[in-house]
Amino acid sequence: MNRLRSLHIDVPPHPVWNVSTFHLPESIPWTQLTSLTLVAVDNKTRLVLDDTLRVLVSCSNLEQCRLEILIDDRQSTHPPISLPRLTSLNFHAQIIDSPSASFLDFLVTPALVALHPTPFDPAATLSLIHRSGCILRKLKVPYTSERRNLSESELEKLHSLLELQAGNMFFDDSTITKIAEGILLPEMDTLSLSPRSMDEIDSFQRLVEGRWKASSRGLNETTEAEGDEPPTPTPRALRQLRVVLGGFLAFQDKAWAPSRFRQFGAYKTGVRVELVPQVMDALHGTIVYASEDWTDE
């Protein structure tokens, strides 16, 4: 196994999985792995949190990690573990016995660039960024039955994002205006959203056009500041808008939606519009994108 770099483990059905119940070969070279996937084969199998963390901390060179598991914390007091090379984390991991806890609470990831957390906990995500000092570039928020918003203070702490897949979250008029002007998310050039009404469609069109106008004024160059104020970077124009069709749009004429959204680029914004249907993930009971194009470039 001297050349082993990527490992995928399907965790077999078991009430509580740990090192003693699922025997892994002692010869696995954990330290040389750069990619690890742990997937429970059903939604009843639980992994003991401490054992899961021990496996991860053994993978000191891990760059990509995907977890689809339920976690039994057994009142864990395990301190956060450091994964110094991890750049991409995609997990569907819920701590059963402590629903208010997040798997992210146990990680330190200074090199993290792409994050797809399920469930999405804004406080835990921002705490991870602060604790790790990482520069997050891509955030994919899962689609859930309950809609919620990210506050402006939370968005301010996500200023380094290049790509936001926003699930079914929504933004109020004040937030839309600040994103359009580049006050919030100034680096973002790719946005995925799921509007539920004509008003939301109009708001997002205003965001795209406003962002293009703000970026074109400075051609993505830094503008000069007055007095002692630091220079203000010109926001990036959106280059790709991914629209998830569902909810309100599911009842619209099929020819209407594409023509309506392609108007987003009618003012020479150059934005690429992609329409994506929704499907139901039967295993986890959540809505996911039928066209899965999340990349870790």
Side-chain angles (χ1 to χ4, degrees):
M1 294 189 181
N2 291 336
R3 296 185 178 182
L4 185 65
R5 295 291 183 272
S6 180
L7 179 63
H8 181 119
I9 300 175
D10 288 323
V11 183
H14 196 282
V16 178
W17 181 93
N18 55 34
V19 172
S20 63
T21 57
F22 185 49
H23 300 285
L24 295 172
E26 295 182 0
S27 58
I28 291 179
W30 297 105
T31 58
Q32 72 185 38
L33 293 180
T34 59
S35 177
L36 175 66
T37 299
L38 284 176
V39 178
V41 299
D42 63 23
N43 58 4
K44 296 181 181 180
T45 300
R46 299 186 183 187
L47 280 73
V48 174
L49 176 59
D50 282 6
D51 284 336
T52 306
L53 294 174
R54 289 191 190 102
V55 169
L56 291 178
V57 79
S58 300
C59 304
S60 55
N61 289 304
L62 203 62
E63 297 175 2
Q64 298 185 25
C65 182
R66 175 175 162 239
L67 306 172
E68 293 188 15
I69 54 178
L70 296 177
I71 294 177
D72 187 331
D73 78 340
R74 297 296 173 101
Q75 280 143 26
S76 171
T77 57
H78 203 292
I81 64 170
S82 178
L83 299 172
R85 297 177 181 271
L86 190 70
T87 60
S88 174
L89 176 60
N90 181 339
F91 75 88
H92 193 296
Q94 184 175 354
I95 300 178
I96 300 301
D97 301 306
S98 300
S100 62
S102 170
F103 184 69
L104 294 181
D105 296 337
F106 296 90
L107 303 179
V108 178
T109 54
L112 192 66
V113 173
L115 177 63
H116 179 189
T118 305
F120 174 58
D121 183 336
T125 298
L126 295 175
S127 178
L128 173 71
I129 293 172
H130 177 74
R131 180 170 62 250
S132 304
C134 57
I135 301 176
L136 197 66
R137 291 300 195 184
K138 297 181 179 182
L139 175 63
K140 183 175 181 179
V141 177
Y143 195 100
T144 59
S145 58
E146 180 180 353
R147 302 195 81 190
R148 69 162 308 249
N149 191 12
L150 279 173
S151 68
E152 292 184 4
S153 62
E154 290 171 331
L155 288 172
E156 286 176 357
K157 297 174 183 178
L158 295 170
H159 59 86
S160 63
L161 284 184
L162 293 176
E163 178 174 341
L164 173 60
Q165 296 197 23
N168 65 332
M169 71 172 58
F170 62 99
F171 304 113
D172 57 29
D173 285 343
S174 173
T175 303
I176 288 287
T177 298
K178 290 182 178 180
I179 295 176
E181 295 175 350
I183 298 172
L184 295 174
L185 303 176
E187 295 291 317
M188 182 180 66
D189 63 14
T190 301
L191 174 64
S192 173
L193 51 91
S194 181
R196 294 287 187 89
S197 68
M198 288 296 299
D199 288 340
E200 289 186 15
I201 294 172
D202 292 338
S203 293
F204 284 120
Q205 182 164 356
R206 179 162 55 88
L207 184 157
V208 172
E209 294 169 1
R211 190 62 170 257
W212 175 76
K213 292 175 182 177
S215 65
S216 63
R217 284 196 295 267
L219 298 177
N220 287 329
E221 295 178 357
T222 300
T223 58
E224 295 183 0
E226 297 181 0
D228 297 329
E229 295 182 1
T232 302
T234 301
R236 292 175 184 259
L238 289 177
R239 62 178 176 81
Q240 183 167 341
L241 181 68
R242 192 176 295 112
V243 182
V244 181
L245 300 179
F248 163 75
L249 290 177
F251 299 97
Q252 302 300 313
D253 182 85
K254 292 182 179 180
W256 172 87
S259 62
R260 181 66 176 85
F261 281 105
R262 289 194 177 103
Q263 292 179 26
F264 278 43
Y267 296 93
K268 299 181 180 179
T269 60
V271 66
R272 174 174 174 254
V273 178
E274 179 183 353
L275 304 178
V276 184
Q278 290 173 348
V279 294
M280 179 66 70
D281 179 350
L283 175 61
H284 299 115
T286 57
I287 297 176
V288 296
Y289 299 150
S291 174
E292 181 59 73
D293 55 1
W294 174 257
T295 60
D296 303 315
E297 295 177 358

